[in-house]
């Protein structure tokens, strides 16, 4: 069964990834050398000459402004120093020619377990979902494996940073991780990381970007998603639709109890705050409570996973009551809660656009039109894949939403500047502007679409290796005799 | 569109065993990615009597034909999903035994599964419905067309050769083993095999039996021909299916991941004298592409899923590209009701990963799966004489920005986005009406003091 | 005592045990089924005309066929053999007390005539005012101009309507609670066992490894052998107007063979009208069995069940062939191994297959054609859907429609949207009978676990409110089930010669205010308990262990 048409020569894509775009030294000019030498000698930032360069001949998409054709970007010590059409490369600086390619800010995935989970079916390789009901003191950052194969795989598709959560956020709400029976309300502190670094300290963008709260839910049908039959070898009966025999009244009671429990915990934290501030004698430090302080002070938002309208509404009430800031993860029912969220300026992280509708009778494109609905409601949102394996495709998530009503520029914002703003890092990232980090991607087309090749990815001005486990295997087996 | 609408429209056609004669359409001025010798060009398609009657820059426009002006739109052959588990009632796995070749997906077709409609909305016109992967040798499989609104018989892709599912690797050895955590499996209910070695043994044992079974039947038939009066052997459904494999009457679709098990199955097939038709998932197919090609099997894989299981850890998105380079016919499949709706963009990724041409990329979800399923004479390309299974997109079908506008199967329109969107309000209204009627009835019953029904 | 017995010996067997059964046996007037009035004791062999059991009055033991004037069974008093005493407050019975024997049962009237009643014969035109005469447990005459025999006990039918006794087309009444429960696998209800269904499941049996293990198969089991006359639901059924039922063992894939029984009798043999009328087949493990496989063994998925059934029928053909060959000449041939599962299947003249959704109707009709077995489909929840009726047309497959109409789930999450499909089903399910009637598909109704008269009546009324004419509703619970199970020559309508099973109501059957006044079974009258038809509060659930009266 040989193929009819001849196989195309390999790796035109591959060739592109290996990047013809090489750094070139500027033409040597004595003066330039001297200037460079002086620069090196005198400047304090001599340490990383690699993250200083001048990128030219690019169509730059700053995101926060209109596209600049034939522009250049000057990066020094990993920061964007200048952007514009008429820039001139300073002497002695590494010049990179983009050959007319496009340059965008690196994409941001606001929902992952990158570094915390390697093979999702194998518990030993997964470090999310600790035991315990209230675990605010847990920090995702320190458990991140800088050599996780996922980082390289995701990064080469142009994602430069991500939020890694201490517990999965799938199906929205109700706590309890994979295989965990007991409920977990507060899973710990989610971190924002760059997808490259020698250590997690290197990778750290925001050590505690948010406190993850799994809001209770009344279990109806399961969440969205087809569910690959292959991923669930235990699914031997096909669709044992959950939902036990308990009545709604019973479920509602449990639900209310769970919310009460969360409130109790927060009240206890406030009490601790009081005692802490008053320097009460005999005051003992409690790590859990200490971890709650920034939340109560409004410095750290709660990332609240809540899918259905009821949970979202109650989460909003909860936030009001406890005077805390929240971000809602994976909300559905935008048509029902949009107005409320907008009124309170509560941002959301939208889950997979490509998702099956929740109910049999729902519109077939319910998932795809979700972002447009959020946009129309005036709710600020960013995208999250909530799936390490899918993270590389976050761009596709955004563009698909554009097919179903979301303006394309909004789609791009939702994976760049909006995310940075929601997580409080917009001064450093999310767009191509002076003063921000040089988290940049160079690509031959729309980075949110399927066929685009990402040529180079810079993180803090460092040209990251366009290499990962998969490319290594690709190369190897391409060469098999 | 919900069953109430389309079902009403197609109810008459539904019960006719053969295809209903399709309508006559002319799709005009579209960019046609024909996947055939004409390649990609701007032109028109004439659909008549369920077939593609004409394809070209211009086509005949018979009187009474419905003209679809597809200016600025794209037309592709209907997408074929080579690995799907939708549209089945009562479980897709007979996981109680390691060799379940006696069961048949054909017996459980559920034409009311909403997944069928959603697949249509994603451009899928046919799907290979497989038994699950719980067993080394699973059950019999069938190819369906997504003829939403027809009955079970009406969904069957008539003429498509039936298949059988094998499964290698973690799933069959995990199933039913306490160690693997099969649900409900007590330690006393460990099911063999628990290792890849055992998987091979299970398959070999089954085929050894099948060979003996076939020999008995051959002997019987030979004796019959010579007029001898002999008693036939007992017909055993399990072995009968494997006999069909040996005789080339039933395709083998083998779920597999690791290179070692792929090779293992090829060698079994060689030993027993049958062919694997397709390797499914085959995520490490790139490592043994040479052997797969030499055997003549096709590869049906994912675009870029990986790392969800240990055996998927070496998966690479260049898998399809490499296999194709070695001469394997490759397709992309979904194995998932959600992914099924986006096979067009999965195909688009093949341009990025490895550098297939656009036509090659699209072939992985149209022409190639048709070849793999042996129905390439009927579907997979837009060429005159083939079934009118056609999809119209509003934008480049390989791009995320595109939506399916219309889907034809056998020249009948089974999906129309405009109709779907405009019908939503009516469906909501109907539901409200029923809900209110029920409520008023319940209220009046209460008033009558009838006391409601007691729980039975 | 014994002398007195001899005096009345023409009514009783000489070896009848005095009050040998239940200890609470009272003289006539008490618990009606305590005494073997008029019948041979259960110690007798059921020999028809066996000398052992020959009675001085020449009557054979009670295993007689319900004698169509058979001499064997003709009693000098003309009564059928298994007639029960009218144990309850039956005034006229008191008048029949024999001389000097208040302790003994009143004799059964030789003949009963209901006169001046409205008579719905079902087989013919309704008689506005007529008379029906019963004798020997059979209908002797019916019409608007029928003479009342001199010896007949008269029941004044003014204001009353007489219908053929209702027939439940698919039932577990009389099978006892253990059989009624839809528990896990395992055998049909054990005799007299009140064990919960779970205990009957197969914890000891290893999980089946394939069709050869004959999983969940008890095809040889006959409902006729499992009848428990003390099943409390029988009495409830009579209050609802039922006089017979087609009862099946229902646990397992090949659950066993059903039987047409009368809903009154001291012992099982009295009740059985036809011992074997078909094989009950199901395609699920019933109740809690998990999904496809795992611990429970083969089969675990729907396709597994279907494959198993298919294999059984292939094995039946093979088995028949081998047996025939062996019969012809055993010498030199290995004998075919006895397979009682196959024997049971072979004994079954028709099969019952489940089908609720129209998809299942299509599926089972195809399957039935493949198996080449006369088939009845049961369930038929989507009978209203034209796709059900379209598939059924011309297939010669009658259907049994469950009266258990789908109801809204209580305590639902109000935020949870129900599907259009579910709403439609609830709205239209009760119109299935009307739709089937309109499409000309032969069908009967069955109670499907509804035991309370009020619930059954309401369910039928709902069908009528949804388009089923009353006469069609009546037929669906009388002549139609009789036809479907091949007993229409003796049951199901008020015609001369048929079994005297009647229900007498005040008011039209199935109306809310209608009362079932009495039923006749084999020509013997039964009166429902006072509150039986009046919407008894707090349903006595069938789970309470049945008092076994022996």
């Amino acid at each position: 069964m040989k193929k009819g048409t001849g196989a195309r020569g390999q790796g035109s894509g591959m060739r592109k990834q290996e990047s013809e775009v090489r750094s070139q030294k500027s033409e040597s000019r004595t003066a330039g050398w001297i200037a460079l030498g002086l620069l090196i000698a005198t400047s304090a930032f001599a340490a990383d000459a690699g993250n200083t360069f001048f990128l030219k001949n690019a169509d730059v998409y700053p995101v926060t402004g209109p596209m600049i054709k034939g522009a250049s970007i000057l990066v020094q010590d990993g920061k964007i120093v200048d952007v514009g059409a008429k820039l001139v490369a300073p002497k002695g600086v590494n010049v990179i020619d983009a050959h007319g390619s496009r340059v965008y800010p690196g994409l941001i995935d606001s929902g992952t377990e990158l570094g915390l989970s390697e093979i999702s079916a194998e518990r030993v390789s997964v470090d999310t979902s600790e035991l315990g009901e209230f675990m605010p003191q847990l920090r995702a950052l320190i458990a991140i494996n800088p050599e996780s194969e996922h980082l390289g795989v995701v990064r080469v598709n142009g994602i430069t940073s991500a939020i890694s959560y201490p517990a999965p956020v799938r199906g929205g709400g109700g706590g309890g991780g994979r295989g965990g029976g007991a409920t977990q309300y507060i899973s710990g502190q989610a971190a924002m990381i760059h997808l490259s670094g020698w250590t997690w300290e290197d990778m750290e963008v925001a050590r505690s970007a948010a406190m993850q709260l799994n809001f209770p839910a009344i279990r109806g049908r399961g969440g969205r998603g087809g569910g690959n039959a292959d991923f669930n070898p235990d699914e031997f009966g096909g669709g044992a639709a959950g939902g036990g025999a308990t009545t709604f009244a019973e479920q509602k009671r449990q639900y209310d109890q769970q919310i009460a429990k969360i409130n109790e915990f927060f009240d206890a934290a406030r009490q601790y705050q009081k005692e802490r501030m008053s320097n009460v004698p005999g005051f003992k430090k409690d790590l859990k409570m200490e971890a709650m302080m920034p939340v109560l002070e409004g410095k750290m938002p709660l990332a609240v996973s809540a899918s259905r309208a009821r949970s979202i509404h109650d989460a909003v009430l909860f936030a009001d009551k406890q005077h805390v800031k929240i971000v809602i993860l994976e909300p559905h029912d935008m048509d029902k809660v949009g107005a409320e969220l907008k009124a309170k300026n509560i941002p959301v992280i939208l889950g997979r656009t490509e998702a099956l509708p929740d109910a049999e009778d729902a519109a077939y494109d319910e998932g795809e039109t979700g972002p447009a609905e959020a946009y129309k409601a005036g709710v600020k949102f960013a995208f999250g894949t909530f799936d390490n394996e899918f993270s590389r495709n976050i761009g596709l998530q955004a563009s698909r939403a554009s097919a179903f009503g979301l303006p394309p520029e909004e789609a791009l914002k939702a994976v760049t500047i909006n995310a940075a703003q929601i997580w409080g890092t917009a001064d450093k990232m999310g767009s191509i502007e002076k003063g921000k980090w040089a988290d940049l991607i160079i690509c031959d087309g729309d980075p949110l679409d399927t066929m685009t090749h990402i040529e180079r990815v810079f993180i803090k001005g460092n040209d990251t290796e366009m290499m990962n486990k998969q490319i290594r295997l690709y190369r190897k087996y391409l060469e098999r005799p | 569109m919900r069953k109430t609408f389309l079902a009403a429209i197609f109810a008459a056609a539904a019960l006719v065993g053969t295809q209903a004669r399709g309508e006559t359409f002319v799709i005009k001025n579209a960019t046609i990615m024909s996947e055939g010798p004409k390649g990609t060009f701007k032109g028109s398609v004439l659909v008549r009597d369920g077939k593609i009657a004409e394809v070209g820059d211009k086509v005949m426009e018979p009187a009474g034909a419905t003209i679809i002006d597809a200016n600025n739109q794209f037309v592709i052959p209907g997408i074929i999903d080579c690995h799907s588990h939708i549209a089945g009632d009562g479980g897709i796995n007979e996981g109680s035994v390691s060799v379940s070749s006696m069961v048949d997906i054909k017996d459980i077709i559920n034409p009311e599964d909403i997944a069928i409609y959603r697949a249509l909305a994603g451009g899928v016109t046919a799907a290979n419905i497989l038994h699950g992967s719980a067993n080394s040798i699973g059950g019999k499989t069938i190819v369906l067309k997504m003829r939403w609104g027809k009955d079970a018989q009406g969904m069957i892709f008539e003429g498509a050769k039936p298949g059988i599912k094998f499964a290698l690797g973690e799933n069959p050895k995990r199933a039913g083993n306490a160690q693997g955590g099969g649900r409900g499996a007590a330690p006393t209910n460990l099911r063999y095999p628990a290792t890849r070695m055992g998987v091979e043994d299970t398959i070999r044992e089954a085929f050894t039996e099948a060979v003996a079974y076939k020999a008995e039947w051959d002997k019987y038939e030979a004796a019959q021909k010579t007029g001898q009066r002999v008693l036939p052997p007992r017909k055993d459904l399990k072995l009968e299916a494997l006999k069909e494999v040996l005789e080339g009457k039933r395709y083998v679709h083998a779920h597999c991941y690791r290179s070692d098990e792929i090779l293992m199955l090829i060698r079994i097939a060689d030993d027993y004298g049958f062919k694997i038709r397709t390797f499914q998932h085959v995520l490490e197919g790139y490592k043994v592409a040479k052997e797969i090609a030499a055997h003549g099997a096709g590869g049906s894989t994912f675009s870029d899923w990986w790392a969800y299981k240990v055996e998927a850890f070496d998966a690479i998105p260049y898998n399809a590209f490499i296999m194709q380079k070695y001469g394997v016919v490759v397709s992309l499949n979904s194995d998932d009701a959600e992914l099924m709706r986006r096979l067009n963009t999965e195909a688009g990724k093949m341009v990025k990963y490895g550098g297939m041409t656009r036509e090659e990329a699209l072939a992985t979800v149209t022409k190639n799966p048709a070849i793999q399923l042996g129905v390439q004479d009927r579907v997979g390309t837009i060429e005159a004489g083939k079934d009118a299974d056609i999809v119209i997109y509003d934008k480049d079908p390989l791009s995320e920005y595109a939506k399916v506008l219309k889907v034809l199967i056998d020249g009948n329109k089974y999906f129309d986005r405009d109709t779907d969107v405009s019908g939503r309000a009516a469906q909501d209204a109907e539901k409200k009406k029923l809900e209110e009627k029920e409520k008023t009835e319940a209220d009046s019953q209460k008033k009558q003091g009838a006391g409601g029904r007691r729980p039975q | 005592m014994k002398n007195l017995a001899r005096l009345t010996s023409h009514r009783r067997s000489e070896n009848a045990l005095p009050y040998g059964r239940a200890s609470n046996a009272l003289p006539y007037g008490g618990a009606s089924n305590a005494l073997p009035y008029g019948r041979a004791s259960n110690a007798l062999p059921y020999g028809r005309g066996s000398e052992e059991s020959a009675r001085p009055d020449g009557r054979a033991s009670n295993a007689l066929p319900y004698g169509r004037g058979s001499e064997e069974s003709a009693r000098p008093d003309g009564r059928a053999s298994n007639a029960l005493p009218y144990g309850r407050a039956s005034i006229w019975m008191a008048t029949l007390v024999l001389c000097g024997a208040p302790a003994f049962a009143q004799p059964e009237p030789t003949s009963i005539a209901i006169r001046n009643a409205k008579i719905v014969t079902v087989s013919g035109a309704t008689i506005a005012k007529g008379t029906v005469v019963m004798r020997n447990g059979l209908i002797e005459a019916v019409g608007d101009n029928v003479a009342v025999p001199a010896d007949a006990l008269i029941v004044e039918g003014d204001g009353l309507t007489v219908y053929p006794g209702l027939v439940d087309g698919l039932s577990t009444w009389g099978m006892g609670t253990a059989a009624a429960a839809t528990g896990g696998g395992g055998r049909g209800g054990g005799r007299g066992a009140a064990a919960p269904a779970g205990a009957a499941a197969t914890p000891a049996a290893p999980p089946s490894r394939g069709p050869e293990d004959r999983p969940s198969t008890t095809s040889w089991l006959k409902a006729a052998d499992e009848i428990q006359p003390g099943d409390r639901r029988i009495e409830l059924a009579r209050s609802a107007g039922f006089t017979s039922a087609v009862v099946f063992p229902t646990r397992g894939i090949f659950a066993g063979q059903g039987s047409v029984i009368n809903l009154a009798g001291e012992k099982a043999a009295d009740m059985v009208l036809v011992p074997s009328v078909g094989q009950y087949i199901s395609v699920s493990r019933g109740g809690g069995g998990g999904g496809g496989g795992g611990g429970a063994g083969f089969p675990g998925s729907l396709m597994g069940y279907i494959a198993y059934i298919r294999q059984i029928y292939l094995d039946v053909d093979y088995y028949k062939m081998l047996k025939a060959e062996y019969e012809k000449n055993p010498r030199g041939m290995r004998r075919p191994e006895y397979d009682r599962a196959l024997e049971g299947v072979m004994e079954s003249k028709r099969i019952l297959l489940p089908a609720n959704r129209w998809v299942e109707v299509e599926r089972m009709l195809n399957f039935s054609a493949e198996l080449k077995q006369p088939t009845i489909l049961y369930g038929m929840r989507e009978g209203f859907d034209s796709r059900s009726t379209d598939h059924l047309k011309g297939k010669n497959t009658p259907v049994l429609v469950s009266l258990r109409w789908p109801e809204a789930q209580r305590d639902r999450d109000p935020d949870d949207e129900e599907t259009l499909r579910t709403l439609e089903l609830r709205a239209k399910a009760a119109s299935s009978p009307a739709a089937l009637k309109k499409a000309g598909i032969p069908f009967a109704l069955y109670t499907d676990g509804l035991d309370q008269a009020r619930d059954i009546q309401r369910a039928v009324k709902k069908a009528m409110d949804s388009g089923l004419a009353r006469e069609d509703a009546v037929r669906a619970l009388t002549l139609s089930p009789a036809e479907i199970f091949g007993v229409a020559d003796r049951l199901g309508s008020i015609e001369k010669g048929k079994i005297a099973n009647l229900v007498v109501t005040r008011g039209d059957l199935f109306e809310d205010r209608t009362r079932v006044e009495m039923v006749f079974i084999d020509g013997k009258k039964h009166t429902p308990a006072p509150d039986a038809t009046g919407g008894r509060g707090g349903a006595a659930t069938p789970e309470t262990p049945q008092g076994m009266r022996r």
Side-chain angles (χ1 to χ4, degrees), chain B residues 35-98:
Chain B
E35 296 296 303
K38 282 189 160 76
T40 301
F41 61 95
K42 196 147 173 123
S44 305
V45 185
L46 169 63
V47 168
R48 191 167 48 194
D49 295 335
K51 299 279 184 194
I52 298 167
E54 219 185 304
V55 195
D57 302 326
K58 278 190 163 40
V59 299
M60 219 173 56
E61 293 182 23
T66 309
I67 311 289
I68 300 177
D69 182 7
N71 201 10
N72 291 329
Q73 295 171 359
F74 289 72
V75 168
I76 66 166
I79 293 176
I80 299 172
D81 188 353
C82 215
H83 190 125
S84 178
H85 299 295
I86 65 168
D89 268 343
I92 53 142
N93 263 311
E94 179 51 61
S96 58
V97 290
S98 278

Side-chain angles (χ1 to χ4, degrees), chain B residues 99-386:
Chain B
V99 178
S100 64
S101 42
M102 74 290 278
V103 307
D104 197 339
I105 294 280
K106 188 164 160 200
D107 287 330
I108 57 161
I109 299 170
N110 174 18
E112 289 194 309
D113 188 354
I114 195 67
I116 299 170
Y117 180 74
R118 291 170 180 165
L120 267 178
V124 176
T125 52
N128 191 21
I129 310 296
L130 300 178
H131 182 280
S133 53
N135 305 337
S136 309
I137 294 184
K140 295 177 269 212
T141 69
I142 195 166
V143 185
L144 300 181
K145 283 206 185 186
M146 305 286 98
R147 298 180 183 123
W148 180 246
K150 297 232 173 205
D151 61 9
Q153 292 301 113
M155 298 276 301
I156 296 178
F157 192 143
E158 61 292 337
K161 198 181 269 196
I164 183 170
K165 174 83 175 288
F166 288 10
L168 312 177
E170 287 178 30
N171 287 12
K173 68 181 179 115
R174 189 192 295 248
N177 280 312
Q179 159 205 12
R183 180 168 60 195
T188 52
N189 268 344
L190 292 176
R191 188 191 74 161
Y192 179 78
T195 68
R196 283 181 163 85
M197 303 185 294
V199 171
E200 190 207 20
D201 177 49
T202 303
I203 299 175
R204 281 190 182 272
E205 307 250 5
F207 273 93
T208 303
E209 261 190 86
V211 165
Y213 177 81
K214 176 166 154 59
E216 274 181 39
W217 277 93
D218 288 345
K219 189 163 131 204
Y220 165 71
E221 268 145 29
Q224 276 224 302
K225 284 206 178 80
T226 67
Q228 274 184 276
R229 216 186 140 266
V230 279
L231 291 183
R234 173 179 167 267
K235 197 156 201 153
D236 181 313
L237 291 174
K238 179 178 85 173
L239 298 175
E240 193 67 32
L242 300 181
K243 173 167 171 282
E244 289 170 340
V245 168
L246 292 170
E247 292 168 348
K249 295 188 184 140
R250 188 171 284 279
Y251 287 148
V252 174
H253 301 295
H255 151 128
C256 56
Y257 280 77
R258 279 230 311 248
S259 59
D260 49 288
E261 65 204 16
I262 297 168
L263 189 58
M264 176 272 286
L265 193 63
I266 292 175
R267 297 303 170 228
I268 289 183
D270 291 342
D271 285 350
Y272 287 87
F274 65 91
K275 287 283 180 209
I276 309 294
R277 184 70 182 179
T278 64
F279 284 104
Q280 297 279 334
H281 308 326
V282 63
L283 295 191
E284 289 190 11
Y286 64 95
K287 297 184 184 176
V288 284
K290 200 165 82 164
E291 285 80 2
I292 297 174
H295 182 75
S300 189
T301 187
F302 295 129
S303 68
D304 60 7
W305 279 6
W306 78 297
Y308 47 93
K309 294 192 283 188
V310 174
E311 61 189 359
F313 202 52
D314 272 10
I316 64 176
Y318 308 89
N319 190 28
F321 178 79
I322 293 181
M323 287 199 291
Q324 179 166 278
K325 177 171 176 288
Y326 278 86
V328 178
V329 176
V330 289
S331 66
L332 296 178
N333 67 50
S334 76
D335 194 7
D336 175 46
E338 194 286 306
L339 184 55
M340 198 173 185
R341 312 169 313 143
R342 315 184 263 121
L343 287 172
N344 60 315
T345 45
E346 294 299 283
K349 290 178 189 173
M350 294 297 103
V351 172
K352 176 189 172 86
Y353 293 117
M356 286 194 191
T357 65
R358 291 171 50 86
E359 283 70 24
E360 285 172 340
L362 187 61
T364 59
V365 295
T366 52
K367 186 168 90 167
N368 291 355
I371 294 172
Q372 291 175 343
L373 298 176
V375 292
Q376 67 271 36
D377 296 335
R378 296 274 303 273
V379 291
T381 67
I382 301 184
E383 293 178 83
K386 293 204 176 174

Side-chain angles (χ1 to χ4, degrees), chain A residues 230 403 446 449-450 469 480, chain B residues 255 257 314 326 398 401 403:
Chain A
D230 210 61
D446 179 351
D449 207 354
T450 45
K469 173 183 187 200
R480 183 184 171 197
Chain B
H255 151 128
Y257 280 77
D314 272 10
Y326 278 86
L398 297 179
Y401 292 98
K403 287 194 292 296

Side-chain angles (χ1 to χ4, degrees), chain A residues 218-221 236-238 246-249 251 308-310 336 359-362, chain C residues 290-294 300-301 409-421:
Chain A
I218 299 200
R219 299 220 168 275
R221 280 169 298 279
F236 297 138
T246 49
T247 63
F248 170 67
Q251 287 181 323
R308 309 314 306 261
R310 181 196 302 274
K336 294 189 190 140
E360 182 178 296
D361 293 336
Chain C
S301 62
Q409 191 196 344
R410 294 157 177 236
D411 303 323
R412 254 189 53 241
D413 183 348
D415 289 344
D416 247 1
E417 222 186 79
E418 287 193 288
T419 63
L420 179 58
R421 189 202 302 266

Side-chain angles (χ1 to χ4, degrees), chain C residues 65-377:
Chain C
Y66 300 109
R68 297 188 183 82
S70 141
E71 264 149 61
E72 274 183 344
S73 64
R75 290 168 49 138
D77 64 3
R79 259 187 54 240
S81 60
N82 71 338
L84 288 169
Y86 293 98
R88 294 206 189 75
S90 214
I91 301 167
W92 54 263
M93 204 157 65
T95 69
L96 295 176
V97 170
L98 299 167
C99 53
F104 296 102
Q106 294 89 327
E108 290 298 324
T110 51
S111 164
I112 302 179
I114 310 171
R115 74 170 173 195
N116 291 333
K118 177 168 158 195
I119 304 175
V120 177
T121 63
V122 175
S123 53
T126 296
I127 302 167
K129 215 176 195 35
T131 300
V132 54
V133 180
M134 296 176 270
R135 185 186 298 280
N136 272 347
L138 305 175
I139 296 169
E140 188 176 63
V142 55
D144 58 2
N145 210 5
V146 161
V148 174
D151 64 327
L153 173 72
I154 296 175
V155 175
E156 294 298 347
D158 240 315
L160 299 181
T161 313
V162 184
Y163 297 87
L166 300 184
V167 180
D168 191 8
L170 174 57
S171 188
T172 57
W173 291 336
M175 297 284 283
T177 51
T182 51
R187 311 228 8 198
R191 200 176 291 280
T202 52
S208 134
R209 292 151 306 169
E212 312 72 38
D213 286 348
R214 304 282 186 252
S216 296
T217 294
T218 48
S219 56
W220 57 86
L221 211 61
K222 288 192 179 58
D225 296 335
E226 310 284 324
I227 304 291
Q228 297 173 45
D231 184 339
R232 214 156 144 244
R233 295 173 299 159
I234 293 179
E235 212 177 293
L236 289 177
R238 290 201 298 260
S239 323
F242 284 84
T243 54
S244 37
V246 191
V247 298
F248 283 86
T250 52
R251 279 206 293 189
I253 304 173
F254 287 92
Q257 302 167 38
S259 167
V260 184
I261 64 167
N262 269 347
L263 293 172
E266 280 290 315
K267 38 192 211 298
D270 299 339
M271 297 164 67
V272 174
L273 301 186
V274 186
S276 174
V277 293
Q279 181 77 216
Y280 186 94
I281 298 180
S282 74
V283 289
S284 65
R285 217 162 268 278
F298 178 89
S301 62
L302 175 60
M303 53 185 170
Y305 284 91
I306 294 177
Y308 172 57
I309 297 167
R310 180 179 284 132
Q311 183 69 63
I312 285 284
Y313 280 94
L314 287 172
D315 287 352
V316 161
D317 287 343
Y318 189 64
Y319 184 69
K320 275 195 213 157
M321 179 198 69
L322 284 185
K323 281 194 359 174
E325 282 296 313
Y326 194 71
E327 279 308 299
K328 266 196 287 192
N329 184 15
R331 283 188 198 234
M333 180 177 162
R334 231 191 110 122
R335 70 180 176 280
E337 192 177 288
Y338 172 67
D339 189 328
R340 68 175 172 170
L342 299 183
E343 297 281 352
V345 169
M346 281 155 57
E347 281 170 1
S348 308
K349 56 178 81 126
R350 60 176 73 83
I351 59 176
L352 275 67
L353 291 173
N356 273 307
R357 295 157 46 217
W358 70 261
V359 170
E360 293 166 343
V361 171
E362 184 200 354
R363 181 179 297 143
M364 287 305 165
L365 284 174
N366 277 341
F367 197 35
S368 151
E370 181 197 324
L371 300 177
K372 299 199 188 45
Q373 296 290 317
T375 303
I376 301 171
L377 299 185

